[in-house]
Amino acid sequence: MTIERNVNGAVVTLKIVGRLDTSTAPALEAAVDGCAADTKELILDCSALEYVSSAGLRVILKAQKQMNARGTMKLIGVNKTIMEVFDITGFADILTI
């Protein structure tokens, strides 16, 4: 997995490319934690995300909680396969997709 970071003022976009699983989730967690305190909007671009495991879901949920305290977070480009995971786990009800 790779993460492409784009900063535009107080908006940070993280494009997740590949598989978000146990071995790669710490990299996304570090990228989210590395967002400046003045980040008001976090966008997770999932257009190139191929797979998400429970470890990846945990990192996404943690990011959502962090951003609730200081702004907003949304996911864009979510494909059918990943959306099914969000639907089954109930994440579709708590995330802005």
Side-chain angles (χ1 to χ4, degrees):
M1 178 193 76
T2 59
I3 300 169
E4 299 170 12
R5 181 184 176 112
N6 183 11
V7 179
N8 185 5
V11 178
V12 175
T13 302
L14 300 176
K15 182 174 184 178
I16 308 164
V17 179
R19 297 173 55 89
L20 180 55
D21 55 26
T22 304
S23 63
T24 59
L28 179 59
E29 187 170 15
V32 170
D33 290 345
C35 291
D38 63 346
T39 299
K40 299 296 181 211
E41 182 177 13
L42 176 62
I43 300 169
L44 298 182
D45 182 347
C46 300
S47 60
L49 181 61
E50 300 168 1
Y51 171 82
V52 62
S53 73
S54 60
L57 291 173
R58 182 192 64 79
V59 173
I60 292 171
L61 182 60
K62 180 183 174 193
Q64 179 69 59
K65 289 181 180 180
Q66 287 176 337
M67 290 309 300
N68 282 346
R70 63 181 190 204
T72 61
M73 182 179 96
K74 66 181 174 183
L75 282 69
I76 62 171
V78 178
N79 67 39
K80 181 182 175 186
T81 302
I82 303 301
M83 191 63 200
E84 285 178 5
V85 173
F86 290 152
D87 284 335
I88 291 168
T89 59
F91 274 57
D93 298 331
I94 57 173
L95 298 173
T96 302
I97 303 173

